[in-house]
């Protein structure tokens, strides 16, 4: 039970970026703002700089672009980004793929950040690949999508790239308020509606508060031949609250809370032939003896402090992220036929799953300030994650997936895991001349994992408990020379390495 494996990806890319090309890339169809690349500022390298100066493939999605496509969810804009795809079985279950890097397992290959907070599971023991957060895009400053390995600055699970949500910070200048409402309808489905609002409130010259909230119902379009029409509707609601304290010109402290609840009543899948993929029950139709609701709750708590000391600046980010998912899957196709033949009526069998995730992260970063011949960033990172994944299989389930008295407890499986990671990283850019730069980076990561798998019930052969542990050390790096023949053109090449943590083996 101590087998360890880690997967590394080495990618080399060579590209040319022109200001005119960036102008086209910033259309809503391409997933960026309509501004010239000279004006787009990103934090892809954990410092604010022009998009044209970043020697890697980055797409920037501005608030104007999100509004132009009426984006309510990640499906509305993610596929407009070059080399980006996603798979969504139902609301709350999303797999993100960049540059086609998709292992098909349950370990994520695309990392997700919300401001300074890495969100989602680092381990493959908590379904991180299929639970990418679908964050409501209202009240965002921008979304940055970095393609290619980002192991140097962003660590584990950034094999394919990174999705970074940058929220709007509280402003002390004036009172701001924004609100919007909308509705949408789906062909062969029903209607959904939404409402959003945001308020920026200056409390004093050094204190400001920003709050926002959203509510949305997603229309359904899947019909169930047993349960009726439009069974896959969904409801999403939540909000953000942040406070900005700036007691001095050189010190800023920001605290934020993000809450989102996503409730889905059914899967987006329809029944099809496994060979021809043609619908077997009719277009957009399915047959489920047991309903398949999914309940997902996101929580992110963060405190970030920045201290400008002149030649250098210090940043500290402390975060706590939690995820709670309750899912029912119809397993009647596997077990129900036997029960139906015995009792001569359709009987359902459900797998009821519950995942709880709790992740604490701490990052300290020291960086040079201002434009210098050598710009550098060094930092340390710590993450501790605890997960509990439980599944229950009953002999007979009611139409909502609940246990039928006397027929419950066919099998129980529990998977409790713990993940710890400690890392140090450094990145630097040498400006040898106004035309030539060289960016180098490296990161050393050490992670340790433990898992305890328990089982009980007749199918499990009685009570059982199996434990395992693993540890691994990984070094990732990046090398990116760039050449700027003029102010509006950049040629660059990039070689980078990323990794996804392995872990102890479990019993299928």
């Amino acid at each position: 039970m101590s087998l360890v494996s880690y997967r590394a990806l080495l990618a080399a890319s060579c590209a040319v970026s022109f200001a005119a090309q960036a102008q086209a890339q910033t259309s809503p169809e391409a997933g960026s703002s309509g501004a010239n690349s000279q004006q787009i500022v990103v934090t892809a390298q954990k410092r604010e700089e022009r998009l044209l100066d970043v020697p890697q493939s980055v797409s920037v999605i501005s608030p104007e672009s999100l509004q132009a496509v009426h984006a309510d969810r990640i499906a509305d804009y993610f596929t407009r980004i070059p080399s980006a795809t996603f798979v969504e079985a139902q609301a709350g279950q999303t797999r993100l793929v960049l540059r086609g890097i998709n292992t098909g397992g349950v370990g994520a290959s695309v990392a997700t950040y919300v401001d300074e907070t890495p969100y989602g599971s680092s381990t493959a023991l908590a379904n991180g690949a299929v639970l990418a957060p679908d964050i409501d895009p209202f009240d965002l400053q921008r979304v940055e999508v970095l393609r290619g390995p980002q192991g140097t600055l962003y660590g584990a699970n950034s094999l394919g790239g990174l999705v970074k949500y940058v929220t709007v910070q509280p402003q002390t200048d004036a009172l701001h308020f924004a609100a919007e409402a909308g509705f949408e309808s789906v062909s062969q489905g029903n209607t959904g509606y939404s409402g959003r609002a945001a308020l920026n409130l200056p409390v004093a010259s050094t204190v400001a508060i920003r709050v926002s909230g959203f509510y949305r119902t997603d229309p359904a379009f899947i019909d169930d031949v047993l349960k009726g029409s439009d069974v896959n509707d969904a409801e999403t609601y939540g909000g953000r609250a942040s406070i900005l304290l700036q007691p001095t010109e050189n010190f800023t402290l920001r605290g934020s809370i993000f809450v989102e609840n996503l409730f889905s009543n059914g899967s987006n899948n329809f029944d099809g032939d496994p060979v021809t993929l043609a619908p077997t029950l009719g277009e957009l139709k399915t047959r489920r003896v047991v309903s398949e609701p999914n309940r997902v709750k996101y929580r992110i708590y963060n405190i970030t402090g920045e201290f400008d000391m002149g030649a250098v600046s210090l940043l500290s980010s402390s975060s706590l992220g939690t995820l709670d998912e309750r899912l029912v899957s119809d397993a009647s196709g596997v077990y129900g036929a036997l029960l139906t033949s015995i009792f001569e009526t359709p009987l359902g069998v459900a797998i009821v799953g519950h995942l709880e995730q709790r992740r604490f992260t701490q990052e300290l970063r020291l960086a040079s300030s201002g434009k210098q011949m050598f710009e550098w960033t060094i930092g340390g990172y710590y993450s501790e994650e605890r997960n509990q994944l439980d599944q229950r299989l009953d002999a007979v389930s009611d139409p909502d997936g609940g246990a039928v008295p006397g027929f419950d407890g066919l099998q129980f499986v529990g998977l409790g895991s713990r993940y710890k990671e400690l890392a140090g990283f450094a990145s630097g850019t040498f400006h040898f001349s106004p035309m030539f730069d060289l960016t180098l980076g490296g990161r050393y990561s050490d992670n340790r994992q433990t898992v305890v798998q328990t089982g009980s019930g007749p199918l499990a052969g009685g009570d059982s408990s199996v434990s395992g542990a693993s540890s691994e050390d990984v070094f990732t790096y990046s090398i990116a020379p760039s050449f700027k023949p003029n102010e509006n053109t950049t040629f660059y090449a990039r070689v980078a390495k990323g990794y996804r943590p392995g872990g102890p083996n479990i019993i299928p």
Side-chain angles (χ1 to χ4, degrees):
M1 299 301 297
S2 60
L3 177 63
V4 179
S5 66
Y6 82 90
R7 300 188 177 184
L9 178 69
L10 183 64
S13 62
C14 183
V16 55
S17 174
F18 295 96
Q21 189 179 51
Q23 177 81 19
Q25 193 180 40
T26 58
S27 66
E29 289 75 18
S32 298
S33 70
N36 188 279
S37 62
Q38 299 274 10
Q39 302 168 334
I40 301 175
V41 176
V42 297
T43 55
Q45 299 190 113
K46 295 198 173 182
R47 62 167 65 236
E48 291 190 350
E49 55 191 337
R50 296 185 314 158
L51 177 60
L52 196 65
D53 294 333
V54 179
Q56 60 176 299
S57 181
V58 182
S59 288
V60 182
I61 311 166
S62 71
E64 293 80 12
S65 296
L66 294 170
Q67 189 175 28
V69 298
H70 307 287
D72 289 324
R73 57 192 75 81
I74 196 168
D76 294 329
Y77 61 86
F78 191 70
T79 54
R80 296 171 181 265
I81 299 168
S83 304
T85 58
F86 80 102
V87 179
E88 186 181 62
Q90 73 183 98
Q93 289 189 320
T94 305
R95 180 192 295 270
L96 303 181
V97 180
L98 287 171
R99 288 188 171 174
I101 300 173
N102 175 19
T103 61
V106 292
S109 60
V110 174
T112 304
Y113 265 66
V114 180
D115 292 323
E116 294 290 340
T117 303
Y119 188 75
S121 177
S122 296
T123 173
L125 299 171
N127 294 342
V130 295
L131 291 174
D134 189 352
I135 293 176
D136 188 280
F138 181 65
D139 203 34
L140 291 180
Q141 185 174 340
R142 63 184 177 272
V143 181
E144 300 178 14
V145 180
L146 286 61
R147 292 182 290 276
Q150 307 295 327
T152 300
L153 290 176
Y154 295 98
N157 295 324
S158 57
L159 280 172
L162 173 85
V163 177
K164 186 175 185 180
Y165 298 90
V166 182
T167 63
V168 179
Q169 295 194 22
Q171 305 293 322
T172 59
D173 57 351
L175 178 70
H176 302 284
F177 177 77
E180 66 178 45
F183 72 92
E184 60 180 323
S185 62
V186 175
S187 177
Q188 304 182 45
N190 57 17
T191 302
Y193 55 90
S194 63
R196 298 158 155 181
L199 172 67
N200 184 87
L201 180 65
V203 179
S205 60
T206 59
V207 182
I209 297 174
R210 189 177 189 94
V211 294
S212 64
F214 51 88
Y215 178 84
R216 183 180 85 241
T217 60
D218 295 335
F221 52 88
I222 297 293
D223 298 335
D224 192 304
V225 297
L226 294 179
K227 301 183 177 301
S229 302
D230 304 329
V231 297
N232 65 321
D233 57 310
E235 179 184 40
T236 302
Y237 61 91
R240 304 183 187 93
S242 57
I243 181 171
L244 179 72
L245 306 175
Q246 196 169 14
T248 69
E249 279 190 14
N250 300 327
F251 180 65
T252 301
L253 188 66
R254 181 191 181 195
S256 62
I257 299 174
F258 169 71
V259 174
E260 183 168 334
N261 300 316
L262 200 157
F263 300 155
S264 169
N265 289 320
S267 169
N268 300 333
N269 298 325
F270 63 86
D271 291 356
D273 186 278
V275 178
T276 66
L277 303 182
T280 55
L281 300 174
E283 187 176 358
L284 300 178
K285 292 185 182 296
T286 187
R287 183 184 185 277
R288 296 290 183 269
V289 181
V290 176
S291 298
E292 296 184 315
N294 188 28
R295 308 288 187 262
V296 181
K297 297 180 179 179
Y298 307 135
R299 303 290 187 269
I300 300 177
Y301 311 90
N302 175 263
I303 296 177
T304 298
E306 295 183 69
F307 183 40
D308 187 352
M309 296 177 284
V312 298
S313 62
L314 177 66
L315 182 143
S316 171
S317 175
S318 305
S319 303
L320 175 65
T322 67
L323 184 147
D324 187 289
E325 183 196 33
R326 298 176 185 269
L327 173 68
V328 177
S329 300
D330 185 9
S332 304
V334 179
Y335 303 100
L338 176 62
L339 296 171
T340 299
S341 65
I342 294 174
F343 294 98
E344 298 183 349
T345 184
L347 292 177
V349 180
I351 296 177
V352 181
H354 182 206
L355 171 64
E356 287 185 294
Q357 179 188 116
R358 183 182 180 91
R359 181 181 183 184
F360 170 78
T361 57
Q362 173 65 49
E363 182 168 318
L364 286 173
R365 225 164 47 233
L366 193 66
S368 60
S369 300
K371 193 73 173 178
Q372 303 176 14
M373 181 177 177
F374 176 57
E375 297 175 348
W376 53 269
T377 300
I378 60 173
Y381 172 85
Y382 174 77
S383 179
E384 182 173 353
E385 178 183 334
R386 299 191 181 196
N387 303 287
Q388 182 64 44
L389 175 60
D390 297 318
Q391 290 184 337
R392 186 189 82 235
L393 175 67
D394 298 321
V396 180
S397 302
D398 64 29
D400 295 322
V404 175
F407 293 92
D408 59 344
L410 195 61
Q411 185 175 18
F412 296 93
V413 177
L415 197 65
S417 61
R418 188 172 181 179
Y419 177 94
K420 285 187 177 182
E421 181 180 352
L422 185 63
F425 59 90
S427 177
T429 300
F430 298 86
H431 300 286
F432 292 106
S433 71
M435 299 175 65
F436 181 71
D437 298 336
L438 178 62
T439 300
L440 303 172
R443 184 186 189 102
Y444 174 79
S445 303
D446 174 83
N447 73 73
R448 302 179 184 276
Q449 301 185 58
T450 57
V451 62
V452 177
Q453 182 175 354
T454 59
S456 61
L459 281 185
D463 295 343
S464 63
S465 179
V466 180
S467 61
S470 69
S471 63
E472 60 182 328
D473 302 319
V474 182
F475 178 73
T476 54
Y477 62 88
S478 64
I479 305 171
S482 61
F483 175 66
K484 301 176 183 178
N486 56 58
E487 187 67 17
N488 301 318
T489 307
T490 300
F491 294 88
Y492 71 87
R494 182 172 185 262
V495 177
K497 181 181 178 182
Y499 85 102
R500 188 182 65 169
N505 292 332
I506 60 173
I507 301 172

